[in-house]
Amino acid sequence: MSNVVEQIIANYAGESPGVLGNLRRLLNSGSLAGTGKLVILPVDQGFEHGPARSFAPNPAGYDPEYHPALALESGCNAYAAPVGFLDVIAAKYAGKLPLILKLNNSDSLGGPDQPCSALTAGVQDALRLGCVAIGYTIYPGSGLRNEQYEAIRDLIAEARDVGLPTVIWSYPRGAGISKNGETALDVVAYAAHIACQLGAHIVKVKPPSDFIEQKEAQKAYEKVPKATLAERVQHVVQASFNNKRIVIFSGGPAKGTEDVLEELRQIAKGGGYGSIMGRNAFQRSPADGQKLLREAIEIFRASAKG
Amino acid sequence: MSNVVEQIIANYAGESPGVLGNLRRLLNSGSLAGTGKLVILPVDQGFEHGPARSFAPNPAGYDPEYHPALALESGCNAYAAPVGFLDVIAAKYAGKLPLILKLNNSDSLGGPDQPCSALTAGVQDALRLGCVAIGYTIYPGSGLRNEQYEAIRDLIAEARDVGLPTVIWSYPRGAGISKNGETALDVVAYAAHIACQLGAHIVKVKPPSDFIEQKEAQKAYEKVPKATLAERVQHVVQASFNNKRIVIFSGGPAKGTEDVLEELRQIAKGGGYGSIMGRNAFQRSPADGQKLLREAIEIFRASAKG
Amino acid sequence: MSNVVEQIIANYAGESPGVLGNLRRLLNSGSLAGTGKLVILPVDQGFEHGPARSFAPNPAGYDPEYHPALALESGCNAYAAPVGFLDVIAAKYAGKLPLILKLNNSDSLGGPDQPCSALTAGVQDALRLGCVAIGYTIYPGSGLRNEQYEAIRDLIAEARDVGLPTVIWSYPRGAGISKNGETALDVVAYAAHIACQLGAHIVKVKPPSDFIEQKEAQKAYEKVPKATLAERVQHVVQASFNNKRIVIFSGGPAKGTEDVLEELRQIAKGGGYGSIMGRNAFQRSPADGQKLLREAIEIFRASAKG
Amino acid sequence: MSNVVEQIIANYAGESPGVLGNLRRLLNSGSLAGTGKLVILPVDQGFEHGPARSFAPNPAGYDPEYHPALALESGCNAYAAPVGFLDVIAAKYAGKLPLILKLNNSDSLGGPDQPCSALTAGVQDALRLGCVAIGYTIYPGSGLRNEQYEAIRDLIAEARDVGLPTVIWSYPRGAGISKNGETALDVVAYAAHIACQLGAHIVKVKPPSDFIEQKEAQKAYEKVPKATLAERVQHVVQASFNNKRIVIFSGGPAKGTEDVLEELRQIAKGGGYGSIMGRNAFQRSPADGQKLLREAIEIFRASAKG
Amino acid sequence: MSNVVEQIIANYAGESPGVLGNLRRLLNSGSLAGTGKLVILPVDQGFEHGPARSFAPNPAGYDPEYHPALALESGCNAYAAPVGFLDVIAAKYAGKLPLILKLNNSDSLGGPDQPCSALTAGVQDALRLGCVAIGYTIYPGSGLRNEQYEAIRDLIAEARDVGLPTVIWSYPRGAGISKNGETALDVVAYAAHIACQLGAHIVKVKPPSDFIEQKEAQKAYEKVPKATLAERVQHVVQASFNNKRIVIFSGGPAKGTEDVLEELRQIAKGGGYGSIMGRNAFQRSPADGQKLLREAIEIFRASAKG
């Protein structure tokens, strides 16, 4: 067994064998198996932004079967999606490719006044579909924060009881946060810390900028190195219980290949556990998407060895 | 057994035999049995618009027995209605005609600020009344979206456990959508996609216009063919998991017979799975209503053969 | 057994023997037993308008024992009241006089912004008190409509399981309805239809005026006869599933005896199933109240024979 | 056994032996045992108004043990308090002195926009602490009325099942009631009636003034005698199901001894069942508090004999 | 066994042996074991104020293992933290160091309009993690007061059933309280009293200033000595059921060592049961933090002997 993986697992001492078993499955799957690093393919953009905005650039992506095939062939650790997408493919992929059920989702047609995704699936669905983990989005900064923190509390407890770990997407957003503030270093680090405090086993945040949003936090950040993304990632890792919780970074909107790769190198250099990359992968042609995912995997494998 | 039906059923691999069994019942009933196509008679307009607006044009329709008789004699696959209407007729029609219980309903006398139907029946009622499926309306775009998505989540799970598939009526409506936007191509495709992601087995939407509502979606639609209704239907079918979920189209307000038939031909040509036609059927005289339903059925049968 | 009663009961085919049994009890009690007609004494006005406004005209009415005695001696089919009033008298009257427990009530001291009665008793109370049915008020047109429709859904299901039928008081009221509109023909017919669709076994509405409230409904009412109350009652009966659900009419505020009797004759002539008369009965002296109830009963008996 | 008590108990025919047993305990305790009259010491003012405002006048009252000792030594029928106060003393006093657990409480530091106390204890607490009854405050006139009526409905049902009767504090307050209106005769009588209709076994209201708040009620009160407090109390007793429910009166803010005694004489003369006296008792010195309670008891004993 | 501890335990007569057992554990742990005094290390500031603001001054504190080690080595009675922090360390520290699970938490990125923490863990988590008590923050003065009082009611009941005592952090805050008012003597005493009335076994408040916030309370405070902090602490102890409930004081923001120690001396002199000190301990260097906690412990040990 991989020492690296077992060192990570040791940070979850006290968790049940069921949860530890599924964490091991995630860390021991795909091309990065045993390195302690993770590259995950998430596809909830059809729900979040609409089908055409998500899949028109590469119409193969309209088909729910496209994505798990892409993840498997590229060597990703896992594939994450809403229940509808998994309903179609789980019978074929469960046990072949670790599946993460994204329990809550939001669309861009309208919704509550303050950001809050709708719970569209439950822990029982994750079991039914043979998943290895549940995923849930919180919006720290939302006026509906309490509803979300309390929902994830219940879900973590229910998932733990059946041996499923929890991935929290922690996206600051809402009345009290400026647009720039959503990726500010202090806010992203805070969002990662909140997710850890809520009991997430794995945390997903956006790569932080060097902006500091909260006035009260300015002083605390005077001595924190933050010039490079690698340094900022390092701070987020520190804020994630001093590296004792797995924190991975999303890639955001589609962009040029070199930009994507440089971002990944910085994340890897800063000690990030990995990347969760959606549009940059599935909006490229099948061949290009696979190529990019494999390059991402190589970057993290290199950082694991380094 | 029909190959066409079994090919459709294969898209639901992973569902329980109970759900698959009732999907087969729907697809193997009426004149379109075995074709993979569906024509359904829905009668919830008394609730939604009031009894006189719905039934004064053909007063036979005030009687709850009128509609299942019309559906059965016309060769429809199924009849869908609220619990009150089914309460009166289920003892007579259960097992003869597939019944779909419409679980939520709205009236036009008043209600919450944002569109949200009231849950007026439950899964146990569907069982009690011998139904083959449940139906539920969501309003993507409503400020009360989360409440609806979460309610249908629970209902789908409960229905699945007792072998009942779910039909979602997906009608975009609410604060952030213009009146024209409610039938815009991007919005209808998005609404169909959301319903699929929520786990619907069958999705019902309105025929889309060529209007594009969301600015962010304009670019994605530049290359999507949308001049004819058939092309637009094809896009909606694509957005419905690349044809892996059954999507049917409603007819909207009563109109001239030729208009109705032409719309149906376009839906059939675009690959739509069928039609759910209410007012255009029951507001005509009994003979004319039956005639129209039979012509609709012939259009879809022809498309199945074609 | 009465053929008339059994013909009515046949409209409830599919209901459990328990529910049918209590419907038979209601229809086979009092002076109108076996006629298919109903006169019911309801006394919730102490709660709704206050004790002095309700009982000062005939102070005997302050005593909870006054009303069931009046109902029994006058030959009414049943007595309906809130749980507090029934708590005092049920031990004495259960089994002698059919009791209907009014489950929700409102007072005129204040309450929520949109009309919504409070649930003040439950189905278990109805069983505990030996009642034959539950009663519930909905306010179609209220912004809190959904809460009410969903509450009655649960109550009907719970009551059905223990063999109790449901009476819905359907009173249109709320933000979108004008004061005149509350008794408009279209609105009253709509309110009766909604109650039937919700699954009510018996519906209670107010006598409709010849006003049409909803613009969209004007056209539909052009050909509906509505000059006399009898004609309007006939339309409401039609809207109540073409006479397949029992619909009865309230009398409203106290008025002159001849006015009351004429209204009852019109209701009877229009095919209404009966009357539910409170203030006009209990605010008269004991002798006069009894006399009026007996005359009402005679009017409906005559219509049953006619 | 006392005939008077059994005559009162007869008004609760239909209640379970458990509830009747605890009502008997209340009526057969203390110096007024067997008279059918009640003097109760309630101490929730620390919660409602703050500790210093409540107990600084007699600092012995800061101690939770002071009050049950005062009640017991003065010969009160019972002692009522929130769960925190009872937690400290119940192990010592349960079975010696009837305890009433006040289930909901409000503080004066802030709260919801419309009056609504918080539920701070439950029926299980009442059992755990050996209480003979539960107490609950409703605010008729509050925009949150429904929440309160529905909560007390559930609590009454739960308490009944374990043999505990319910005391309702009925205090009109909220958006639609003027400050004077809170003690207006029509409003207090209405509040008492509502509490009875909700199923209270014992009702507590404030002594009514001769003001009439509601315009619609003016006419009804023209012939109701209301010049003296005794006459107004008599009307409230009548509104409380014509004396078939126990209604007791609070004393309000601390005042001169003679004022207190005169008020009690009027309440007794008007047929009130007793008094629930807090600040006037525990804010006096221990000796004076005890003396006043004993005088109150004598007034009601005299009225019972008279 | 310590007489002092048993005298305190006697105030909880009536509690189950499980709750008493864990109270004894708390009082018999660390350097203050058997003195009846408490010094507790709480670390929820990462959640409440953000990780950098909390831990940048002493970056060792980013690591969840730092704090329980500090508490244990300094001789604290217990360590209190949110579930995320305890998840990491409980497997190592349960049974060595009494752990208190802070059940609700708030962040400073945004939230509901009125102060209300989110429930982020439950009683089952406290059991799972081997804790000796649960902790919960209420905000008296908040418009969401009822939600909080009702949540803690349920949690206390659930915790009692499994033998866990409850610590309430009572922090007045909200629409009706001025900023100065949050630490006003009347408000702090009231907040402590409310927590006791809600059933807290241990209450935590801030050291009160000599300001009086509520006009209605001015008169009551005229004779209450309040010039020194010791006198004000004495009043808070009196308001906490005349010393029959354990009340401890927080230290607030980091400040100079002598200021901290003087505050602790005043608290000890006024009869406070102890201190709960976070930032002043963990934001100092490890050596200085330990030194300060030991000095705090000596101050309370001295007051216990004195």
Side-chain angles (χ1 to χ4, degrees), chain A residues 16 30 48 50 139 155 158 183 191 205 248:
Chain A
S16 68
E48 304 276 330
Y139 297 120
L155 292 167
E158 189 185 350
T183 51
V205 291
I248 59 180

Side-chain angles (χ1 to χ4, degrees), chain D residues 102-180:
Chain D
K102 189 75 196 322
L103 296 189
N104 64 342
N105 292 281
S106 191
D107 63 63
S108 55
L109 292 173
D113 285 343
Q114 282 283 303
C116 189
S117 296
L119 196 71
T120 59
V123 170
Q124 289 301 317
D125 291 302
L127 289 178
R128 173 174 66 85
L129 296 168
C131 298
V132 303
I134 59 168
Y136 187 88
T137 298
I138 59 171
Y139 297 120
S142 168
L144 295 169
R145 170 199 78 188
N146 283 13
E147 285 75 2
Q148 298 168 49
Y149 293 0
E150 297 185 1
I152 189 59
R153 185 193 82 83
D154 289 341
L155 292 167
I156 289 174
E158 187 184 352
R160 172 183 284 119
D161 283 350
V162 296
L164 292 175
T166 297
V167 185
I168 292 185
W169 274 241
S170 192
Y171 287 172
R173 192 175 301 178
I177 299 178
S178 71
K179 193 68 198 165
N180 277 341

Side-chain angles (χ1 to χ4, degrees), chain A residues 65 87-89 91, chain B residues 1-29 34-38 132 163 165 200-202 243-246 273:
Chain A
E65 299 227 25
D87 270 345
V88 179
I89 63 93
Chain B
M1 256 191 284
S2 155
N3 276 345
V4 177
V5 169
E6 291 307 308
Q7 282 160 19
I8 295 170
I9 292 293
N11 293 327
Y12 298 89
E15 278 295 354
S16 69
V19 169
L20 298 180
N22 276 314
L23 283 174
R24 283 195 184 96
R25 267 183 204 105
L26 263 174
L27 291 164
N28 288 326
S29 292
T35 63
K37 301 292 176 181
L38 292 157
V132 303
H201 300 93
I202 300 177
N243 199 28
K244 285 185 173 148
R245 286 295 174 262
I246 297 170
Y273 278 76

Side-chain angles (χ1 to χ4, degrees), chain A residues 47 63 84 107 110 116 119, chain B residues 145-146 149-150 190 197 244:
Chain A
F47 203 129
D63 195 317
D107 63 63
C116 189
L119 196 71
Chain B
R145 170 200 77 188
N146 284 12
Y149 293 0
E150 298 185 1
Y190 200 164
Q197 288 285 24
K244 285 185 173 148

Side-chain angles (χ1 to χ4, degrees), chain A:
Chain A
M1 257 192 281
S2 154
N3 276 345
V4 177
V5 169
E6 290 308 307
Q7 282 162 21
I8 294 170
I9 292 292
N11 292 328
Y12 297 88
E15 278 296 353
S16 68
V19 169
L20 297 181
N22 276 314
L23 283 174
R24 283 195 184 98
R25 265 182 207 106
L26 263 174
L27 290 165
N28 288 325
S29 292
S31 305
L32 286 169
T35 63
K37 300 292 176 180
L38 291 157
V39 170
I40 296 174
L41 179 71
V43 190
D44 58 359
Q45 292 80 359
F47 203 129
E48 304 276 330
H49 309 131
R53 284 174 66 197
S54 302
F55 306 126
N58 172 29
Y62 282 112
D63 195 317
E65 299 227 25
Y66 177 74
H67 308 287
L70 174 63
L72 191 61
E73 286 158 22
S74 307
C76 291
N77 297 63
Y79 168 61
V83 69
F85 256 25
L86 293 195
D87 270 345
V88 179
I89 63 93
K92 185 165 170 188
Y93 283 93
K96 280 193 205 163
L97 171 70
L99 302 174
I100 299 171
L101 179 58
K102 189 75 198 319
L103 296 189
N104 64 342
N105 291 281
S106 190
D107 63 63
S108 56
L109 292 173
D113 286 343
Q114 283 283 304
C116 189
S117 296
L119 196 71
T120 60
V123 170
Q124 289 302 315
D125 291 302
L127 289 178
R128 174 174 67 84
L129 296 167
C131 299
V132 303
I134 59 168
Y136 187 89
T137 298
I138 59 170
Y139 297 120
S142 168
L144 294 169
R145 170 199 77 187
N146 283 12
E147 285 75 2
Q148 298 168 48
Y149 293 0
E150 298 185 0
I152 189 58
R153 184 192 84 81
D154 290 341
L155 292 167
I156 290 175
E158 189 185 350
R160 171 182 285 120
D161 282 352
V162 297
L164 292 175
T166 297
V167 186
I168 292 184
W169 274 241
S170 193
Y171 287 173
R173 194 174 299 178
I177 299 178
S178 71
K179 194 68 197 165
N180 277 341
E182 293 180 1
T183 51
L185 177 56
D186 59 327
V187 170
V188 171
Y190 200 165
H193 186 80
I194 288 169
C196 293
Q197 288 286 23
L198 292 170
H201 299 93
I202 300 177
V203 176
K204 183 201 170 216
V205 291
K206 293 187 179 169
S209 73
D210 62 358
F211 180 60
I212 303 297
E213 165 85 354
Q214 297 196 291
K215 277 195 185 156
E216 310 87 328
Q218 303 280 10
K219 188 150 176 274
Y221 277 94
E222 278 169 10
K223 294 184 200 156
V224 176
K226 56 180 170 296
T228 67
L229 176 57
E231 286 169 329
R232 298 191 297 268
V233 163
Q234 195 166 20
H235 174 64
V236 173
V237 169
Q238 190 182 39
S240 300
F241 288 6
N242 201 34
N243 199 29
K244 285 185 171 146
R245 286 294 175 264
I246 297 170
V247 58
I248 59 180
F249 293 81
S250 59
K255 48 196 156 195
T257 302
E258 187 41 40
D259 287 349
V260 172
L261 295 175
E262 177 54 24
E263 194 173 89
L264 293 172
R265 282 181 212 114
Q266 292 282 319
I267 292 168
K269 187 177 171 194
Y273 278 77
S275 174
I276 180 157
M277 192 194 300
R279 280 170 286 178
N280 279 302
F282 70 72
Q283 290 187 344
R284 279 174 166 76
S285 73
D288 286 356
Q290 232 184 82
K291 182 157 175 288
L292 186 65
L293 283 168
R294 286 182 177 160
E295 287 171 334
I297 285 168
E298 283 316 303
I299 287 170
F300 282 103
R301 181 197 306 284
S303 81
K305 287 178 181 163

Side-chain angles (χ1 to χ4, degrees), chain E residues 35-264:
Chain E
T35 63
K37 299 294 175 178
L38 292 158
V39 170
I40 295 174
L41 178 71
V43 190
D44 59 359
Q45 292 81 357
F47 202 130
E48 303 276 329
H49 309 131
R53 283 175 66 198
S54 301
F55 305 126
N58 172 30
Y62 282 112
D63 195 317
E65 299 227 25
Y66 177 74
H67 308 287
L70 175 63
L72 192 61
E73 285 158 24
S74 308
C76 290
N77 296 63
Y79 168 61
V83 70
F85 257 25
L86 293 194
D87 270 344
V88 180
I89 62 93
K92 184 164 169 188
Y93 283 94
K96 280 192 205 164
L97 171 69
L99 302 174
I100 299 171
L101 179 57
K102 189 75 197 320
L103 295 189
N104 64 343
N105 292 281
S106 191
D107 63 63
S108 55
L109 292 173
D113 286 342
Q114 282 283 303
C116 189
S117 295
L119 196 71
T120 59
V123 170
Q124 289 301 317
D125 291 303
L127 289 178
R128 174 174 66 84
L129 296 168
C131 298
V132 303
I134 60 168
Y136 187 88
T137 298
I138 59 171
Y139 297 120
S142 168
L144 295 169
R145 170 199 77 188
N146 283 12
E147 285 76 2
Q148 298 169 47
Y149 293 1
E150 298 184 1
I152 189 58
R153 184 192 84 81
D154 290 341
L155 292 167
I156 289 174
E158 189 185 351
R160 172 182 285 120
D161 282 351
V162 296
L164 292 175
T166 298
V167 185
I168 293 185
W169 273 241
S170 192
Y171 287 173
R173 193 174 301 178
I177 299 179
S178 72
K179 193 69 197 166
N180 277 341
E182 293 180 1
T183 52
L185 177 56
D186 59 327
V187 170
V188 171
Y190 199 164
H193 186 81
I194 288 169
C196 294
Q197 288 285 24
L198 292 170
H201 299 94
I202 300 177
V203 177
K204 183 202 170 212
V205 291
K206 292 188 180 169
S209 74
D210 62 358
F211 179 59
I212 302 298
E213 166 85 354
Q214 297 196 292
K215 277 195 186 155
E216 311 87 330
Q218 303 280 9
K219 187 149 176 274
Y221 277 94
E222 278 169 10
K223 295 185 200 156
V224 176
K226 56 181 171 295
T228 66
L229 177 57
E231 285 170 329
R232 298 191 296 268
V233 163
Q234 196 166 20
H235 175 65
V236 173
V237 169
Q238 190 181 40
S240 301
F241 289 6
N242 202 33
N243 198 31
K244 283 182 173 151
R245 286 294 175 263
I246 297 170
V247 58
I248 59 179
F249 294 81
S250 59
K255 48 195 155 195
T257 302
E258 187 41 41
D259 286 351
V260 173
L261 295 177
E262 178 54 24
E263 195 172 88
L264 293 172

